[in-house]
Each structure stands twice: as structure tokens, then as C-alpha cells.
Amino acid sequence: MTLRRLFLALCLFAFCTACGATPDGAGSGAAAAPAGGKTLTLGFSAWPGWFPWQVAQERGLFAKNGLKVELKYFDSYTDSLTALATGNIDANSQTLNDTLASVSGGAKQTIVLVNDNSTGNDQIIARSGISTVADLKGKTVAAEQGTVDHYLLLLALQKAGLTEKDITFKPLPTDAAAAAFKAGQVDAVGVFAPFTTTALELSGSKAVATSKDFPGAIPDHLAVASSLVTERPDDVQALVKTWFETLKWIDANKTEANAIMAKRGGVDEAAYASYDAGTTIFSLEDNLAAFEPGTTGANLDHQASLIAKFLVSSGLADTEPSLDGLFEPKFVRSLTP
């Protein structure tokens, strides 16, 4: 199944179930905000670079900037992608390759903020006896089809001189994939933190490839419905401003912030602390640099062009998605002194 067909199937499922994705109610709720104004619905899911949104909600930082935000946590990352693509939420934190996949399926989305870059927290984890990616030949590997760790798996296979045809690929939601691997039902798995913690509980397992091996390949960002940029630019600006104020609060209150984020991730604080090196949070300066046109993996436009070509060459998309209007740097640029 191509990524385009997967995307369309997800959209059909969303519409047929009347409102698509169902967020985890325990992680949802509207942050306190001034009366009046329109609520902005912001989605996120299990990834260390996106958990600061939970801090923003619990510390009242959205309201501080005059925003009414309904923060929706999705147990299934794919459901969050579908929710944005089908208009059931206004904004979502997601990866660049998954945004390009949605755009290739016809979604109108704009990237306004870079949350982070994955520098090791996306991993291909294999059971005992499998030491390298080349050893995966003939083995069964699970990952969530069409999303970021499927992409990482294909990158790793390509680097090892293999293709997906050299393995038995088992498509499973990320949490189910991690559980299946831990139970010994597959030989390897592609997962992101915090599900890496679950997978590595299998005795003798280890990561044979990580996002650290592919610098810049997995940037994570805030994507919004393109209509939000044109119709409610002040709200988008306030959302971007809140992100950077949240990072400052976290830096000044690390113990309390880590407790909030660990709870949202369903792990203890020690496990959460171990994710630090694998997720590089982008500062305002990092954002400004990333939005600049360029020819390195650090430049979003260049990385997007590489991913677009890869999606087609690997059969995950039928045609390269257009990059026209995909990036809107004005919101981060307006925060410079």
C-alpha cells in the first residue's frame, strides 16, 4: 500500500467514524483562558519533543498569551495526523516526513515552528543475535506503516544495501509494535521514545540503528491547517510565542517540568531523563536557522526535498508533494529582538 493510499484510507475511516481520531480523555482538556475568542484545538502524541505542550497547559501559559487552547493527546500518532488532515483539529505536532505524506494526499498544511530534531530517540531495535541492520535480512520487522519509524527503517535498510523486500514487514501501531517485540512475536521493531523503553525490556535487545545515524532526517514541528495562518494569524503567533516561553519555564523549573512530562509519557522520571540526548529541542535561534533556505540537512527546505524524493523512490508516495507554501517562518522571525 502506498502512503497516499494509506492516507486516503485513514481519511475515509475518520469521516465514517464522525470526527475521526478519539483522543485520550485523561490527557485532554481546555487550558484556562480569558473569556471570549475562539478555541484553538492543538493535538500532540507520545514524543519527548512534544510533551512541553502539556507543561504549557498545566502552567497556564496558553492563557497568559490570551489563547483558548483545547489540548488533545492522542494515544495513536497516526490518529493525530488524520485529525489534522481532516480538519478535526487546528494544529498538530508531527514529523516533516509525515507532514509531506499528508500534503501528498491533498491536505493543506503549513509548518510554523520546529519543536526539535530526533537525535537518537527513534530506533530500530532488534532481538538478541541480530547485531546489525544487515542481519535483518529474512527477519520480521514491525513498525507503524507510513510513519516516521517506517521511514527510518527504510533509510537504515537502504544504507545497509537492503530494501523492504529483503525483510518481512509487519505493520502495527507503534505501541502494539513495541508490545509485540517485547513478547517475542517479531525479530525487530521501529519505534520512538517512550515506546523504545518498552521494546528494550526484552532481554538481550539493542538498537541497531537510530535517528542519530541520519542527522537532520527527522525534524519534528508544529503544523497547522493553512487556513489558520490566513484567518487567525494572531492565534498562531500566540501559540508560537507560548512554545518558547514554555521552554524558558522548563529550563528554570526542570524538576517540576520533568515530572509533568514523565507523567504524560507514562514513564518514571528517570526513564524520561534518559531521553534528553535523543531529542534536541530547537531554540529560537535554531528555528531561525532551520527556516533559512539552504543545502544542508539542517535546512528544512533541503531536508523536505530529500524526503519527498525518498517517499517516491521507496514507494511510500506516488508523486512528490509540493513544497510551495509549506514553510512559514514569519511567526518565529517576529520574536527576534
Side-chain angles (χ1 to χ4, degrees):
M1 178 183 288
T2 66
L3 194 55
R4 177 186 292 273
R5 294 190 187 100
L6 174 64
F7 173 80
L8 293 175
L10 288 169
C11 289
L12 179 61
F13 175 80
F15 282 121
C16 288
T17 52
C19 294
T22 302
D24 172 18
S28 306
K38 190 174 180 181
T39 298
L40 187 152
T41 309
L42 169 62
F44 74 122
S45 50
W47 174 250
W50 302 332
F51 289 147
W53 291 125
Q54 188 71 33
V55 176
Q57 182 193 44
E58 296 192 19
R59 298 304 305 173
L61 297 177
F62 293 123
K64 177 178 177 291
N65 286 306
L67 274 176
K68 279 186 174 180
V69 171
E70 182 184 2
L71 189 63
K72 291 190 174 183
Y73 180 81
F74 290 82
D75 288 317
S76 167
Y77 171 55
T78 301
D79 283 351
S80 77
L81 300 174
T82 305
L84 180 62
T86 56
N88 289 311
I89 58 177
D90 299 307
N92 190 50
S93 279
Q94 53 194 52
T95 71
L96 178 56
N97 66 295
D98 292 325
T99 299
L100 288 171
S102 292
V103 170
S104 75
K108 304 298 183 183
Q109 298 179 3
T110 303
I111 294 167
V112 298
L113 166 72
V114 183
N115 300 120
D116 66 90
N117 210 311
S118 178
T119 49
N121 276 338
D122 288 274
Q123 301 181 2
I124 307 302
I125 298 171
R127 62 168 173 77
S128 177
I130 299 176
S131 302
T132 67
V133 174
D135 295 335
L136 294 177
K137 187 173 183 179
K139 303 298 192 298
T140 300
V141 186
E144 189 157 358
Q145 186 170 18
T147 58
V148 59
D149 288 297
H150 187 191
Y151 174 59
L152 177 62
L153 173 63
L154 294 177
L155 285 176
L157 290 172
Q158 183 183 66
K159 186 176 180 180
L162 303 176
T163 71
E164 192 172 303
K165 294 179 180 179
D166 292 307
I167 64 171
T168 299
F169 179 71
K170 188 175 182 65
L172 290 171
T174 303
D175 56 346
F181 176 74
K182 181 181 175 181
Q185 297 169 3
V186 295
D187 300 303
V189 66
V191 288
F192 51 82
F195 301 108
T196 48
T197 298
T198 300
L200 289 168
E201 288 173 357
L202 178 65
S203 179
S205 62
K206 69 174 185 178
V208 294
T210 79
S211 50
K212 187 177 181 180
D213 302 325
F214 302 94
I218 307 179
D220 302 302
H221 53 246
L222 178 66
V224 303
S226 296
S227 58
L228 198 71
V229 172
T230 56
E231 297 170 8
R232 299 169 61 187
D234 290 346
D235 285 350
V236 177
Q237 185 65 73
L239 190 60
V240 171
K241 182 180 179 183
T242 298
W243 173 260
F244 290 109
E245 290 184 356
T246 302
L247 296 186
K248 288 181 181 178
W249 191 91
I250 290 172
D251 195 48
N253 303 272
K254 289 184 178 179
T255 300
E256 184 177 352
N258 282 346
I260 293 171
M261 295 187 288
K263 182 179 179 181
R264 178 64 277 173
V267 297
D268 61 37
E269 292 176 43
Y272 191 84
S274 72
Y275 303 148
D276 277 354
T279 303
T280 301
I281 300 293
F282 270 36
S283 65
L284 177 59
E285 291 72 21
D286 293 330
N287 267 264
L288 293 170
F291 276 109
E292 285 296 319
T295 57
T296 73
N299 303 106
L300 284 174
D301 64 334
H302 179 68
Q303 195 61 248
S305 66
L306 295 178
I307 293 172
K309 290 179 174 60
F310 186 88
L311 290 175
V312 174
S313 66
S314 61
L316 290 177
D318 297 328
T319 58
E320 289 186 26
S322 172
L323 305 184
D324 291 343
L326 181 63
F327 303 110
E328 181 47 84
K330 69 179 182 180
F331 300 105
V332 294
R333 287 176 179 168
S334 73
L335 298 178
T336 56

